Amino acid sequence: MPADRHITVIGAGLAGALLATLLAQRGWKVDVYEKRGDPRVKGYAGGRSINLALAERGRHALRLASGDDEVMEQAVMMRGRMVHFRDGRTDLQRYGKDDSEVIWSVHRGDLNIVLLDIAEQAGARVHFHRSLDGVDFDARVATFTNDIDSSTHAIGFNALVGADGAGSALRAAMARVSDLGERTDFLGHSYKELEIPPAPDGGFSIEPNALHIWPRGRYMCIALPNDERTFTVTLFLPNEGDPSFATVRNGTEARALFERDFADALPLIPNLEEDFERNPAGLLATLYLDRWHLDDRAVLIGDAAHAMVPFHGQGMNCAFEDCVALADHLDRAPDLTTAFAAFQAERLPNARAIQQMALENYLEMRDRVDDDDYLLQRALELRLAERHPDRFMPRYAMVTFQRMPYAVAFERGQQQRQLLVDLTRGHTTLDTLDWDTVDATVRERLTLLPRD
Ligand SMILES: Cc1cc2nc3c(=O)[nH]c(=O)nc-3n(C[C@H](O)[C@H](O)[C@H](O)COP(=O)(O)OP(=O)(O)OC[C@H]3O[C@@H](n4cnc5c(N)ncnc54)[C@H](O)[C@@H]3O)c2cc1C
């Protein structure tokens, strides 16, 4: 390890600020360079999704950084998916067995502020208005530009950590000197954010403790609660076809879409036209890299290494797990190259697994949550989880409420899915199943679950 145990982090977003905290708490000297201004001074200027679902993996990382209590003060519990059918019916599909298995809606800006506070309290130094422009890896000098006065700053480093998000400038600099095996798969769908304000009495205008979904086949809307009694609504549509962002181009067309497909949501969004026209459509893509580090000089974490589509609500949770893993490897390894290589070996297969599960979840959310086969398999899944808690756990629970490696959850999820398909074949209700055969099949086909 470099004698002064000094690390330079690019990006003070979610992953950068958390990693800075974990390393500073372990005695590392940490400097973080962030392109934007300090959100504590000028108000949060994040243009992306306003709230995020926080799950056990993320909470575990926050606990290690002593940030969980503060974050949870502002979090809103989401017990399950509240599905809004076309005919106006709703159905709450619980995520877990009880309120010990829930997810939490947190405000991105507030979370970032808590993370910056704890990073600085731990001793990390955060430099705002410093946008990484270029890196001379041989001289170990990084160049930053200040967006206010356009001044440039050259900084020497031991090693850089790229926590600068999906459009990472550090990744681009690394790719100029080494082939990272980069590939981006665009989903062909984009998203737009809208808002449900508080009800006239100041409370929530729909059930607050749920993630609301309006599944409509090729597209959908979701809404997550904020603690100021609003909901952030996200409309996901294909880029082409009908309807799509090519046919729904302005507020009037958005209103027509909502009148037809999201009729019960429409009265809740009084500023639909304005929100639709003001907010940009965000692209959705999965970023794959074969290499995350450049020997001992640079490593990528979070979205910079493995941006994913948001349908499992795990991008941030996964990024937080990266931070814990990297801090552990940096503490244990004899040198930076070994630490970065071990980090990549541990995390890359897991990132691939959650990227795949996030893609699969889009289909499930928009097209399957109101489908009869799915509902029967889901009912059996819950019964099997009760009858065989040591062998069967719904994949969603393995990803969301447990910390077993994503790759393990993915593989077990595939075995379980096949089991559910086989056991429900030819049935329309669970009442006709032979439970002795079901139990024997579970014991034969599923090994004992790993526990955290
Ligand atoms: C619509 C949507 C919904 C989502 N919902 C969820 C969810 O419910 N749950 C969940 O876990 N995840 C969710 N995610 C994913 C989550 O937002 C990301 O995985 C997470 O923000 C990644 O954190 P990060 O720190 O790697 O990157 P970012 O949060 O993007 O932070 C990157 C930071 O680097 C800074 N930066 C960028 N370029 C430079 C530069 N050149 N120099 C210096 N600094 C720079 C940026 O200003 C920013 O502060 C969602 C994503 C989207 C798009």
Side-chain angles (χ1 to χ4, degrees):
M1 284 298 163
D4 62 354
R5 300 219 308 166
H6 181 230
I7 283 274
T8 302
V9 179
I10 312 299
L14 303 181
L18 183 69
L19 179 71
T21 308
L22 293 169
L23 288 177
Q25 285 170 343
R26 294 163 191 224
W28 286 73
K29 281 201 269 175
V30 188
D31 280 283
V32 190
Y33 292 87
E34 165 58 45
K35 112 175 146 179
R36 291 189 283 206
D38 186 340
R40 296 162 298 185
V41 175
K42 55 174 241 186
Y44 185 67
R48 303 190 38 205
S49 99
I50 296 164
N51 51 22
L52 300 156
L54 174 67
E56 177 53 25
R57 292 168 199 269
R59 287 196 63 189
H60 177 72
L62 290 172
R63 279 183 213 113
L64 293 178
S66 306
D68 187 56
D69 289 345
E70 209 175 327
V71 170
M72 293 308 289
E73 278 171 21
Q74 300 160 350
V76 183
M77 181 197 282
M78 297 187 290
R79 293 195 167 93
R81 294 168 176 162
M82 181 71 81
V83 180
H84 295 248
F85 299 93
R86 274 182 192 277
D87 60 10
R89 273 181 310 122
T90 56
D91 177 33
L92 178 68
Q93 300 178 355
R94 256 194 179 276
Y95 285 131
K97 54 182 185 323
D98 54 35
D99 280 357
S100 67
E101 293 187 337
V102 296
I103 55 176
W104 300 89
S105 179
V106 292
H107 188 275
R108 181 189 285 272
D110 293 345
L111 173 62
N112 208 167
I113 285 174
V114 171
L115 293 175
L116 289 169
D117 283 343
I118 61 174
E120 287 182 343
Q121 281 156 19
R125 293 187 304 182
V126 188
H127 312 266
F128 294 97
H129 297 294
R130 294 286 183 277
S131 178
L132 181 73
D133 268 345
V135 185
D136 181 338
F137 287 104
D138 292 333
R140 293 192 196 239
V141 171
T143 313
F144 298 86
T145 304
N146 179 331
D147 63 342
I148 294 180
D149 59 13
S150 303
S151 55
T152 56
H153 304 259
I155 281 124
F157 64 85
N158 283 328
L160 299 175
V161 179
D164 49 347
S168 170
L170 179 56
R171 187 178 72 237
M174 290 162 70
R176 281 194 277 277
V177 297
S178 170
D179 179 10
L180 303 178
E182 181 171 340
R183 194 180 92 234
T184 301
D185 279 0
F186 288 94
L187 185 64
H189 293 232
S190 301
Y191 68 94
K192 203 168 265 250
E193 285 152 358
L194 312 165
E195 193 190 72
I196 298 179
D201 67 0
F204 285 102
S205 58
I206 46 175
E207 165 59 45
N209 295 122
L211 188 157
H212 293 261
I213 308 188
W214 289 259
R216 296 297 181 258
R218 288 175 61 245
Y219 51 99
M220 67 173 184
C221 255
I222 64 170
L224 274 71
N226 293 305
D227 73 334
E228 73 266 28
R229 311 292 187 259
T230 61
F231 287 81
T232 305
V233 179
T234 312
L235 169 67
F236 294 95
L237 280 182
N239 297 334
E240 304 291 336
D242 189 17
S244 71
F245 280 112
T247 61
V248 183
R249 291 158 299 188
N250 53 44
T252 311
E253 289 169 349
R255 173 167 288 278
L257 174 77
F258 272 74
E259 277 168 356
R260 193 189 70 192
D261 287 336
F262 306 111
D264 63 331
L266 183 57
L268 305 170
I269 313 174
N271 299 324
L272 176 71
E273 282 90 342
E274 294 87 327
D275 285 355
F276 190 90
E277 290 186 5
R278 189 185 49 237
N279 297 336
L283 288 175
L284 297 167
T286 307
L287 166 76
Y288 302 99
L289 300 182
D290 294 334
R291 278 165 292 285
W292 289 358
H293 76 107
L294 185 65
D295 49 60
D296 64 341
R297 291 174 288 181
V299 66
L300 301 170
I301 63 170
D303 276 14
H306 50 65
M308 65 190 75
V309 295
F311 304 110
H312 220 305
Q314 284 288 316
M316 162 190 65
N317 288 283
C318 178
F320 283 178
E321 267 196 338
D322 284 354
C323 295
V324 175
L326 182 57
D328 284 349
H329 286 297
L330 282 168
D331 261 0
R332 278 202 301 262
D335 55 62
L336 289 166
T337 309
T338 310
F340 294 167
F343 166 72
Q344 177 188 305
E346 177 191 337
R347 295 298 296 166
L348 199 144
N350 289 308
R352 289 275 163 92
I354 186 59
Q355 287 177 314
Q356 179 59 28
M357 290 189 280
L359 284 163
E360 290 173 10
N361 234 34
Y362 188 30
L363 196 64
E364 176 166 328
M365 288 172 85
R366 68 179 213 230
D367 203 22
R368 297 212 64 211
V369 284
D370 56 355
D371 153 318
D372 289 342
D373 284 352
Y374 171 82
L375 292 174
L376 185 64
Q377 287 170 22
R378 170 90 183 127
L380 178 59
E381 180 169 70
L382 297 176
R383 292 282 283 280
L384 293 186
E386 272 167 30
R387 291 172 84 92
H388 300 277
D390 52 346
R391 286 177 199 270
F392 192 104
M393 186 179 292
R395 187 172 89 176
Y396 186 87
M398 290 190 278
V399 169
T400 310
F401 310 130
Q402 301 288 316
R403 289 187 292 107
M404 69 180 75
Y406 286 120
V408 172
F410 180 60
E411 200 187 314
R412 288 195 74 99
Q414 283 181 315
Q415 292 166 359
Q416 293 182 172
R417 175 61 49 204
Q418 193 53 52
L419 185 72
L420 293 172
V421 169
D422 293 347
L423 291 173
T424 53
R425 191 173 291 121
H427 295 269
T428 53
T429 156
L430 297 187
D431 299 341
T432 51
L433 292 181
D434 170 358
W435 289 99
D436 288 340
T437 310
V438 168
D439 291 340
T441 313
V442 170
R443 278 192 289 270
E444 181 195 315
R445 286 174 50 176
L446 297 180
T447 55
L448 291 173
L449 279 161
R451 293 288 174 179
D452 289 342

